[in-house]
Amino acid sequence: MSDDSRDHCSTNTHQNVLAELREAIAQAVRDVKDKTPLAQSFTNFVTINLVANAQLAAGGTAAMSFLPDDVIETAKIAGANYINVGTLLPFYKDALPSIAQRLNYLGKPWVLDPVAAGIGKTRTAILQSFKAAPPTVIRANASEVIALANMWGLLDADNASRPAGVESVDEVDAAAQPAKLLAQFLAASAPKHKAAVAVSGKIDLVTDGEHTYRLPGGSAMMAKITGAGCSLGGVTATYLAVAEPLIATLAASLLYDRAAEVAEAESKGPGSFQVAFLDALWNVTAEQVAGSDIVVQ
Amino acid sequence: MSDDSRDHCSTNTHQNVLAELREAIAQAVRDVKDKTPLAQSFTNFVTINLVANAQLAAGGTAAMSFLPDDVIETAKIAGANYINVGTLLPFYKDALPSIAQRLNYLGKPWVLDPVAAGIGKTRTAILQSFKAAPPTVIRANASEVIALANMWGLLDADNASRPAGVESVDEVDAAAQPAKLLAQFLAASAPKHKAAVAVSGKIDLVTDGEHTYRLPGGSAMMAKITGAGCSLGGVTATYLAVAEPLIATLAASLLYDRAAEVAEAESKGPGSFQVAFLDALWNVTAEQVAGSDIVVQ
Amino acid sequence: MSDDSRDHCSTNTHQNVLAELREAIAQAVRDVKDKTPLAQSFTNFVTINLVANAQLAAGGTAAMSFLPDDVIETAKIAGANYINVGTLLPFYKDALPSIAQRLNYLGKPWVLDPVAAGIGKTRTAILQSFKAAPPTVIRANASEVIALANMWGLLDADNASRPAGVESVDEVDAAAQPAKLLAQFLAASAPKHKAAVAVSGKIDLVTDGEHTYRLPGGSAMMAKITGAGCSLGGVTATYLAVAEPLIATLAASLLYDRAAEVAEAESKGPGSFQVAFLDALWNVTAEQVAGSDIVVQ
């Protein structure tokens, strides 16, 4: 923990908030290991295997579906769902808006990864449609968060004009306000009005629309394997099957950061990093996850 | 080998059956390594990579296809085929029934993995259609075997009313009679009237409709990587390219159990388990596979 | 370097050509590590994850797309593109010819892997269409190179009648002339009239239509993991984002051969081989790649 972060957490209020959060995070990690909850994913073809393996390594159960009748029937027995718009096929244009509506009608929580938000007419149409049937949690990089908030008309002229480029520390900060606005928008229509947005980057950021949490650590090697972000979205859905949005999102991001640090220390390139990362998702404890540095604002 | 299994195998008849089986199993494992037979797969997007890599690690050659004209042309040069209904796309509804009919018309043996049997109207329609164009081998978990046997009207009222839930040892036993009935149904229309059904679980079960074989061992870690069952279906097809259904099904399931035990001993989480498992598929010998415990009834 | 190869390279002309090539190859390897160029892939579902991870391990950035509007918008920000026709879906029949035309209209270089050329009416129609909108680089095995050259009417009766079978050393030689004719055909319509064809096999062969380069080394284990060839096509696109076709194609093939040798020495089966191979793609240096044996004719 850096001196800066100590200062940030030094008020009594924040310390109380943090103590409660840590207990709830530890409980979520334990619950997933004990209850092996099912989270369903509609995700891209590049990293679908890693999404499933990461969910299993975290302790959950995985089911992957694409056809609307499959998705909806499986959603009925799943604790949470995950939609990732990475690799689109033609039938998704009608299927995904309809699936999002049905999930919300059924009261099923879901995580959205708006991969490549802003690229392609079909993706834009799909993401636009989610404004009327919003997810419970969004997990994305900074550019995608800004693009989505902009697409949904949540930004004022000043924020909307920020350029969206390659992800970086600055960009996570650039996405802080758009992320907060998105979380508030999601919460307005979410069950119990609880929602969260996670922005992945050098320092991950999580917000429920009220407080913003920065999560230092992790590993730069995460950007050298494909699917680090996608599978984090999937594991967030796994935690969302047993915990409320903010806790699930924090738990998943913190588990990822701790596992990435272990994997970096044990590997000598991206091949062995991915292997060690999956092992670490399995071996990192609830106490390690819940004891992480968290900078609250 | 447990005392129980010794007792089960103690009659002379069973010992003779087993001795012949072991010789044929060893020959199948060696033939795959010597002849590198081609098995074609139409399989789900989650585990398609592991299916291909497992087939290669067992010694075979892999080709994956989805388009009917691709599947049928490749089937003509393949020794066996594999159909797995895990992740459905809209065009499968017409394509898969037509492919199954063509495979059977051409006399090409194939393995079915009825993933998630019972979930979704499209999957049900596809699996229903296979009753008229049945596979040579079925590889599934207990719930799927029961659901498929029920769907095809093979169960009496008592069996049909058994609840299908999460896979367990009990469920493998619960699927014993449905598996036998399925194997008899497949055999009725199979080349030389030979077919087999494998039920994966804590103790795998294989039946040709006449005898039932239980295969103790394996590793609980197989449930912590995605695609253990899917890739076993693929490797069964690889063996089916060089051996008759019962031998192919036993050889593949036994290879998987032995490789899983090696991998569990050498790994420290699901990431290194999968790596060690593929290595073990490559390194486990024909003698190790054929010398496995087999409990025959 | 074998004595044979020394003899082949012994003329001054070839030595000068090689010295310049080696410098350009080293520069390409360094440029990819420094600039992390984006290469976009439209590739098969079996090995799409390995393609992306190999591109990242080589130092590049990856994006995978299937929908024409996605592909074309991403192509505008990508340095190069890759099309692999391994696992076809129905909509590819119209989408791929249109994508190839658009890439060429936009002046975007692209690599083709004509997987399974000659099998299936849909694949043949797609590959036929590429004659009118040709790629900048082709990477394939010998049978596929011969089949494609034949399909495009580039072979005389003698070459066209050669049987295409399982890949082997002899077949790489059998594909030498078809590869040269293909490279000349591609160059005729390529930017700056520069193109290349790579034939993968026991000894890889690369030609720009003028000279032919044979690249000894590599590992037989590359045939025991799925996607060695597919991912080489993807990494060739990564290099094509920073270098001209001949240099990109040589650099990628040489990187693969050196990484495969490291991986074979460090692994004990196909599972650990793939892990070590990705690590080696990351760790092999520009000097190791550029200092490789190259036999020029």
Side-chain angles (χ1 to χ4, degrees), chain B residues 170-247:
Chain B
D170 293 318
E171 279 209 0
V172 170
D173 283 332
Q177 184 63 9
K180 200 165 185 176
L181 294 169
L182 270 176
Q184 288 166 358
F185 179 82
L186 300 187
S189 63
K192 301 184 194 171
H193 296 303
K194 291 188 169 182
V197 172
V199 189
S200 301
K202 278 193 185 168
I203 292 183
D204 295 335
L205 179 155
V206 170
T207 176
D208 59 357
E210 188 176 356
H211 295 293
T212 294
Y213 306 87
R214 283 184 170 75
L215 316 177
S219 165
M221 286 303 290
M222 290 294 269
K224 300 303 176 187
I225 61 169
T226 189
C230 300
S231 64
L232 174 53
V235 171
T236 302
T238 298
Y239 283 117
L240 191 59
V242 301
E244 62 176 49
L246 175 64
I247 301 305

Side-chain angles (χ1 to χ4, degrees), chain B residues 22 25 29 250-251 254-255 258 284-292:
Chain B
R22 289 183 195 284
I25 290 167
V29 176
L250 285 169
L254 292 171
L255 172 66
R258 300 297 81 73
V284 167
T285 64
E287 289 67 34
Q288 287 174 291
V289 174
S292 298

Side-chain angles (χ1 to χ4, degrees), chain A:
Chain A
M1 192 186 276
S2 71
D3 285 346
D4 267 3
S5 65
R6 282 181 198 276
D7 290 338
H8 275 294
C9 325
S10 61
T11 67
N12 283 338
T13 312
H14 283 166
Q15 282 180 349
N16 289 347
V17 169
L18 273 177
E20 281 174 35
L21 277 180
R22 289 183 195 283
E23 183 45 47
I25 290 167
Q27 191 60 45
V29 176
R30 283 190 294 260
D31 280 351
V32 163
K33 289 178 194 274
D34 293 346
K35 301 179 185 172
T36 61
L38 174 62
Q40 175 183 224
S41 300
F42 182 123
T43 189
N44 70 68
F45 301 112
V46 192
T47 64
I48 188 169
N49 184 270
L50 183 61
V51 172
N53 272 325
Q55 291 176 319
L56 292 173
T61 308
M64 279 41 201
S65 317
F66 295 99
L67 218 52
D69 64 305
D70 266 8
V71 175
I72 297 309
E73 278 209 43
T74 305
K76 291 176 184 169
I77 57 171
N81 301 277
Y82 174 46
I83 294 180
N84 174 305
V85 298
T87 49
L88 303 177
L89 298 184
F91 81 96
Y92 291 11
K93 191 169 183 176
D94 296 320
L96 278 173
S98 145
I99 286 168
Q101 286 169 21
R102 287 286 294 167
L103 291 176
N104 288 11
Y105 175 80
L106 294 168
K108 299 293 181 182
W110 61 286
V111 178
L112 170 66
D113 186 337
V115 180
I119 293 185
K121 274 184 287 188
T122 306
R123 180 175 289 102
T124 297
I126 290 167
L127 291 177
Q128 289 280 19
S129 81
F130 291 158
K131 187 182 180 188
T136 321
V137 172
I138 293 169
R139 201 297 317 165
N141 69 34
S143 305
E144 292 156 353
V145 164
I146 296 169
L148 189 67
N150 203 11
M151 205 180 282
W152 287 2
L154 305 179
L155 304 186
D156 57 25
D158 186 48
N159 272 302
S161 66
R162 278 175 189 274
V166 180
E167 193 178 1
S168 72
V169 174
D170 291 321
E171 280 208 359
V172 171
D173 284 331
Q177 183 63 9
K180 200 166 185 175
L181 294 168
L182 271 176
Q184 288 166 357
F185 179 82
L186 300 187
S189 63
K192 301 182 192 170
H193 296 304
K194 291 188 169 182
V197 173
V199 190
S200 302
K202 279 191 184 170
I203 293 182
D204 295 335
L205 179 155
V206 170
T207 177
D208 59 357
E210 186 177 356
H211 295 292
T212 294
Y213 306 87
R214 282 185 172 74
L215 315 177
S219 164
M221 286 304 290
M222 289 294 268
K224 301 303 176 185
I225 61 169
T226 189
C230 300
S231 63
L232 173 54
V235 171
T236 302
T238 297
Y239 284 117
L240 191 59
V242 300
E244 62 174 49
L246 176 64
I247 301 304
T249 306
L250 284 169
S253 292
L254 292 171
L255 172 66
Y256 260 55
D257 283 340
R258 298 298 79 73
E261 290 158 4
V262 172
E264 184 176 304
E266 292 184 357
S267 60
K268 56 182 191 175
S272 50
F273 178 83
Q274 181 169 322
V275 173
F277 178 70
L278 284 169
D279 281 355
L281 286 182
W282 178 256
N283 291 313
V284 166
T285 64
E287 291 66 35
Q288 287 173 292
V289 174
S292 298
D293 279 2
I294 302 175
V295 184
V296 59
Q297 284 179 321

Side-chain angles (χ1 to χ4, degrees), chain C residues 108-214:
Chain C
K108 298 295 180 182
W110 61 287
V111 176
L112 170 66
D113 186 335
V115 179
I119 293 184
K121 274 184 287 186
T122 307
R123 180 175 288 102
T124 297
I126 291 167
L127 291 177
Q128 288 281 19
S129 81
F130 291 158
K131 187 181 180 187
T136 321
V137 171
I138 293 168
R139 201 297 316 167
N141 69 33
S143 305
E144 292 156 353
V145 163
I146 296 169
L148 190 66
N150 202 11
M151 206 180 281
W152 288 2
L154 304 179
L155 304 187
D156 56 26
D158 186 49
N159 271 302
S161 66
R162 277 175 189 275
V166 179
E167 193 178 2
S168 72
V169 175
D170 292 319
E171 278 207 359
V172 171
D173 283 332
Q177 184 63 10
K180 199 166 186 176
L181 294 168
L182 271 176
Q184 289 166 356
F185 179 82
L186 301 187
S189 63
K192 300 184 195 171
H193 296 305
K194 290 187 169 181
V197 173
V199 190
S200 301
K202 279 193 184 169
I203 293 183
D204 295 335
L205 179 156
V206 170
T207 177
D208 60 356
E210 186 177 355
H211 296 293
T212 295
Y213 306 86
R214 283 184 171 75

Side-chain angles (χ1 to χ4, degrees), chain A residues 45 48-50 52-53 56 64, chain B residues 41 43-54 64 82 84 86-87 113 115 225-232 274, chain C residues 45-46 226:
Chain A
F45 301 112
I48 188 169
N49 184 270
L50 183 61
N53 272 325
L56 292 173
M64 279 41 201
Chain B
S41 300
T43 190
N44 70 69
F45 301 113
V46 191
T47 64
I48 188 168
N49 186 270
L50 182 61
V51 172
N53 272 325
M64 278 44 199
Y82 174 45
N84 174 306
T87 50
D113 186 337
V115 179
I225 61 169
T226 189
C230 300
S231 64
L232 174 53
Q274 182 170 321
Chain C
F45 301 112
V46 192
T226 190

Side-chain angles (χ1 to χ4, degrees), chain B residues 9 13-23 213 294 296:
Chain B
C9 324
T13 312
H14 283 165
Q15 283 182 351
N16 288 346
V17 169
L18 273 177
E20 280 175 35
L21 278 179
R22 289 183 195 284
E23 182 46 45
Y213 306 87
I294 302 175
V296 60

Side-chain angles (χ1 to χ4, degrees), chain B residues 36 45 48-50 52-53 56-57 59-60 62 64-70 73-74 77 89 91-92 266 274-276 278-279 282-283, chain C residues 45-50 85-90 118-123 221 223-227 267-275:
Chain B
T36 62
F45 301 113
I48 188 168
N49 186 270
L50 182 61
N53 272 325
L56 292 172
M64 278 44 199
S65 316
F66 296 99
L67 217 52
D69 64 304
D70 266 9
E73 279 210 40
T74 306
I77 57 170
L89 298 184
F91 81 97
Y92 291 11
E266 292 185 356
Q274 182 170 321
V275 172
L278 284 169
D279 281 356
W282 177 256
N283 290 314
Chain C
F45 301 112
V46 192
T47 64
I48 188 168
N49 184 270
L50 183 61
V85 297
T87 48
L88 304 177
L89 298 184
I119 293 184
K121 274 184 287 186
T122 307
R123 180 175 288 102
M221 286 303 290
K224 301 302 176 188
I225 61 169
T226 190
S267 59
K268 55 181 190 174
S272 50
F273 179 83
Q274 181 169 321
V275 172

